[in-house]
Amino acid sequence: MRRELLHTPEGVRDIYNGECDKKQRIEQELHQTFLSFGYHTIQTPTFEFFDVFNREIGTIPSKDLYKFFDREGNTLVLRPDYTPSIARCASKYYMDETMPLRFCYSGNVFINETAAYQGRLKETTQLGAELINDDSPEADAEGIIMMIDCFLAAGLTDFRIDIGQAEFYKGIMDALEA
């Protein structure tokens, strides 16, 4: 094998030995935390139609998507974020289900930034949870509690969660006491 092919392209990296073991252990711990809150595991494709991630839906600019074409000429993209894929899947398969819906996921996402922006990788693992169709204060509180449990499950003991605005937090507390 040619020596220049022994390294990875810019923006991606190998994860191996102890680091890989630690990453997988943390992913398992976080997944168990999501399950303990009643979330259900879901998997979506690594690539989707471009329209799933269009500007009105997605948060990643079109220029930063890895785009390619299928045999029929449809524009496809490597998943840059899980949320739009989860929304697409939920609207297709769960329209008649009792709300709210709770999904959790883990997988790689891809963002084609022009340079290694502040050391940011082009391929990263995204693990998360989506609570669909519940805008109650209890849902907000659940998300905050689950986030704290995830940090603790990952072994973090010194952290701070910034809710953003004091009114948001006060609104949750007032609603929960009511």
Side-chain angles (χ1 to χ4, degrees):
M1 180 177 279
R2 296 187 339 230
R3 182 158 181 80
E4 58 269 9
L5 294 180
L6 294 178
H7 63 85
T8 61
E10 181 182 342
V12 297
R13 65 188 281 272
D14 297 313
I15 302 172
Y16 54 94
N17 292 340
E19 182 182 3
C20 188
D21 294 338
K22 184 177 180 180
K23 178 182 183 275
Q24 288 183 337
R25 181 193 58 77
I26 290 171
E27 286 175 2
Q28 290 170 355
E29 291 289 333
L30 296 178
H31 186 250
Q32 287 303 313
T33 301
F34 295 146
L35 295 178
S36 74
F37 278 82
Y39 286 72
H40 302 282
T41 307
I42 190 169
Q43 291 183 344
T44 61
T46 303
F47 61 90
E48 301 243 19
F49 289 113
F50 171 77
D51 290 345
V52 171
F53 301 100
N54 70 25
R55 200 65 185 127
E56 293 83 39
I57 299 171
T59 57
I60 309 299
S62 174
K63 68 178 180 53
D64 291 340
L65 301 176
Y66 280 100
K67 294 178 238 161
F68 56 101
F69 303 96
D70 66 11
R71 292 180 184 181
E72 290 77 37
N74 297 306
T75 304
L76 305 173
V77 297
L78 289 176
R79 174 182 56 225
D81 179 29
Y82 253 98
T83 299
S85 293
I86 300 298
R88 178 206 45 81
C89 189
S91 66
K92 180 176 181 180
Y93 300 111
Y94 295 91
M95 288 178 59
D96 298 327
E97 296 291 321
T98 304
M99 298 294 170
L101 301 172
R102 288 176 168 80
F103 297 117
C104 62
Y105 52 84
S106 176
N108 288 358
V109 295
F110 307 86
I111 299 176
N112 188 18
E113 295 177 316
T114 55
Y117 176 66
Q118 298 178 350
R120 191 169 169 191
L121 294 172
K122 294 181 178 191
E123 177 186 21
T124 56
T125 301
Q126 189 177 73
L127 185 136
E130 304 287 342
L131 178 54
I132 298 173
N133 205 21
D134 187 347
D135 59 358
S136 69
E138 291 83 5
D140 293 334
E142 176 182 300
I144 294 167
I145 293 165
M146 188 168 59
M147 189 182 328
I148 292 168
D149 285 357
C150 283
F151 288 150
L152 294 172
L156 300 172
T157 56
D158 187 16
F159 56 87
R160 178 180 163 198
I161 297 174
D162 185 358
I163 305 294
Q165 296 182 2
E167 295 84 25
F168 174 78
Y169 177 74
K170 183 179 181 320
I172 291 174
M173 295 292 99
D174 290 347
L176 290 176
E177 290 175 3

